[in-house]
């Protein structure tokens, strides 16, 4: 299995590229528009095909490169089944799986940051023949290293949705590595660590919001943060729903 990530120079955006070298197929998750050429070049250099492209949610802080990447590679595009995107995509449900050689992903529906937020569990058959034990999870903007996602992105988002989504992630084994869609510098959360990855167990112990198990206490904590909403959010959401080529 190959696993790489690209950290954007602005906004702390993370793009993930991974797949099975034996099958020669790659998954790309949360491609930023400005990084598309770099993603395609990397795939060409290692001689693998980009087959599956996923956005964990409708992004508000940047323009997604998902349609541009699909046009260049003819890959399949995947979004949550509740996404409001206006271009052709494959819509995935909670628990749905996609396999490519020795790599498998499973979708977890984790709304709250946005109504269409999903997280992606990654399994590697070479590590576990039974494919029952995930080794990592791409958490989108639901769970960050050191923080959680803001809940004022989509009009239907809510603190309660985010609380229950985080409870889902807490059920994963402590050893599972987490890779969020943003690191420090992002406006999609608050107090985000500059560290690009962590584990479920570490975050349960040291992430002040993730470790709250009482719903009302969590809601009070989230509401205590009065974050300014960047003016470009609405325009970025509109463009991402339409798809930028």
């Amino acid at each position: 299995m190959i696993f790489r990530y690209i950290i954007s120079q602005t906004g702390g955006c993370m793009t993930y590229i991974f797949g099975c070298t034996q099958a020669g197929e790659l998954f790309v998750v949360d491609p930023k528009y400005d990084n598309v050429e770099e993603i395609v070049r990397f795939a060409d250099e290692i001689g693998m095909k980009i087959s599956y492209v996923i956005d964990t949610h409708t992004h508000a802080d940047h323009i997604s490169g998902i349609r541009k990447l699909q046009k260049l590679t003819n890959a399949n595009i995947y979004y949550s089944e509740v996404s409001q995107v206006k271009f052709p995509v494959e819509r995935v449900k909670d628990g749905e799986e996609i396999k490519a050689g020795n790599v498998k992903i499973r979708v977890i529906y984790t709304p709250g940051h946005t109504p269409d937020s999903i997280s992606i569990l990654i399994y590697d058959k070479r590590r576990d023949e039974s494919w029952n034990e995930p080794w990592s999870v791409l958490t989108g903007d639901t769970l960050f290293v050191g923080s959680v996602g803001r809940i004022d992105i989509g009009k239907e988002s809510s603190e309660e949705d985010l609380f229950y989504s985080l409870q889902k992630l807490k059920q994963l084994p402590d050893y599972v590595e987490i890779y969020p869609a943003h690191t420090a510098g992002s406006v999609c959360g608050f107090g985000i660590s500059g560290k690009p990855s962590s584990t479920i167990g570490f975050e349960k112990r040291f992430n002040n919001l993730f470790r709250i198990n009482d719903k009302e206490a969590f809601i009070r904590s989230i509401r205590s943060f009065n974050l300014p909403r960047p003016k470009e959010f609405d325009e970025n959401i509109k463009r991402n729903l339409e798809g930028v080529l």
Side-chain angles (χ1 to χ4, degrees):
M1 180 180 182
I2 189 167
F3 183 89
R4 299 286 190 277
Y5 58 77
I6 299 171
I7 304 179
S8 175
Q9 294 182 355
T10 58
C13 299
M14 304 285 289
T15 294
Y16 297 95
I17 308 168
F18 61 94
C20 176
T21 53
Q22 182 176 319
E25 290 188 307
L26 290 171
F27 293 84
V28 177
V29 178
D30 290 328
K32 189 178 180 183
Y33 191 87
D34 295 343
N35 293 335
V36 168
E37 285 80 8
E38 182 179 357
I39 295 167
V40 172
R41 185 166 59 250
F42 174 74
D44 288 343
E45 288 172 355
I46 61 175
M48 294 180 68
K49 175 180 172 57
I50 297 172
S51 300
Y52 316 95
V53 187
I54 306 167
D55 264 348
T56 56
H57 60 288
T58 303
H59 295 284
D61 66 311
H62 67 272
I63 299 302
S64 170
I66 200 164
R67 287 202 74 193
K68 182 179 180 181
L69 188 58
Q70 194 274 339
K71 182 179 180 180
L72 293 174
T73 65
N74 202 33
N76 291 328
I77 297 178
Y78 298 85
Y79 274 86
S80 164
E81 63 175 336
V82 303
S83 173
Q84 300 299 308
V85 291
K86 300 174 183 178
F87 49 93
V89 299
E90 299 286 338
R91 298 184 180 274
V92 289
K93 301 178 181 179
D94 183 57
E96 192 162 337
E97 298 181 347
I98 303 172
K99 294 179 181 178
N102 291 312
V103 176
K104 178 179 79 171
I105 67 167
R106 183 162 70 87
V107 174
I108 308 175
Y109 182 46
T110 49
H113 175 68
T114 63
D116 64 347
S117 288
I118 57 175
S119 297
I120 307 294
L121 276 174
I122 303 176
Y123 299 77
D124 183 356
K125 192 175 183 180
R126 290 190 177 276
R127 296 191 181 198
D128 173 31
E129 284 287 334
S130 68
W131 260 345
N132 290 325
E133 300 290 337
W135 70 267
S136 66
V137 58
L138 308 184
T139 54
D141 285 4
T142 298
L143 174 64
F144 297 122
V145 179
S147 189
V148 300
R150 61 191 296 165
I151 51 86
D152 61 339
I153 302 297
K155 295 178 181 179
E156 301 173 19
S157 303
S158 76
E159 303 95 330
E160 187 170 340
D161 284 342
L162 183 59
F163 174 78
Y164 287 120
S165 293
L166 293 171
Q167 297 306 303
K168 284 185 183 181
L169 296 177
K170 282 182 188 177
Q171 301 307 309
L172 297 173
D174 283 356
Y175 62 78
V176 171
E177 300 169 0
I178 72 164
Y179 293 91
H182 289 94
T183 184
S186 170
V187 293
C188 290
F190 39 89
I192 304 173
S193 172
K195 190 171 180 288
S197 65
S198 183
T199 65
I200 292 292
F202 190 91
E203 294 308 302
K204 285 199 295 190
R205 182 171 180 183
F206 294 107
N207 185 323
N208 290 334
L209 289 165
F210 189 50
R211 67 186 184 187
I212 298 175
N213 291 314
D214 178 78
K215 183 177 71 173
E216 298 307 320
F218 178 81
I219 290 174
R220 286 195 300 272
S221 295
I222 288 291
R223 288 178 178 173
S224 70
F225 295 95
N226 186 20
L227 299 176
R229 194 173 190 277
K231 60 182 180 180
E232 66 269 18
F233 270 15
D234 289 336
E235 178 61 23
N236 286 344
I237 291 171
K238 179 177 180 295
R239 294 184 67 191
N240 284 331
L241 288 175
E242 294 172 349
V244 179
L245 290 172

